[in-house]
Amino acid sequence: EPEVTQTPSHQVTQMGQEVILRCVPISNHLYFYWYRQILGQKVEFLVSFYNNEISEKSEIFDDQFSVERPDGSNFTLKIRSTKLEDSAMYFCASSGIGGAYNSPLHFGNGTRLTVT
Amino acid sequence: GQQVMQIPQYQHVQEGEDFTTYCNSSTTLSNIQWYKQRPGGHPVFLIQLVKSGEVKKQKRLTFQFGEAKKNSSLHITATQTTDVGTYFCAGRSLYNQGGKLIFGQGTELSVKP
């Protein structure tokens, strides 16, 4: 069964450094998402992406965050200057041709970001 | 903004006991989805409910969507150790149907054999 893949599985960075989290969504999916989950807490929406542009973003997704789909397969999340509070598990997800309305989200295994 | 609340936060049961988690939205939903996250894993889609009052079953799991499309529940009959994990509901606002899927806080289920 096709799956969403994320790399790296764990990223450790120093405060103030830039990080790029990478995702390869399921190949025929059109909608892409980033969510994050602070340890033991809920899954929080960051951003959705469709047709090569951001369709919606949350208050968390400030100017320090950006997303890109640089080619036909990768979907990246960049954090320009990391803060301690950015430490979390970051999940990439994609949904299929059923559209944004009814399609389930397929999540990757996540990247655990630790900011020291 | 839209909020999705879920209770209880934790539930510890003896194997064989039943389990229920409840989900409430601050706004009317177009649909609601349920996900299960095993410890150390990622959320995995279980089911989607769309119609007012809808009830769906998956083996020992029963999902309900409220008449007003603002609440939902998941009931597990005769829990097994394989049911361990965190169960999340997630909904999209009826007024922003293509919009973000908002997750509840989740209910963490532990099952004692």
Side-chain angles (χ1 to χ4, degrees), chain B residues 17-28:
Chain B
E17 291 181 339
D18 292 356
F19 159 77
T20 305
T21 173
Y22 300 91
C23 180
N24 283 284
S25 170
S26 59
T27 61
T28 305

Side-chain angles (χ1 to χ4, degrees), chain B residues 28 41 50 56-57 59 64 72-73 77 79 85-86 89 102-103:
Chain B
T28 305
V50 178
K56 284 189 177 180
K57 292 193 175 188
K59 298 182 181 177
Q64 288 190 307
S72 182
S73 65
T77 305
T79 53
T86 301
C89 62
I102 299 297
F103 281 72

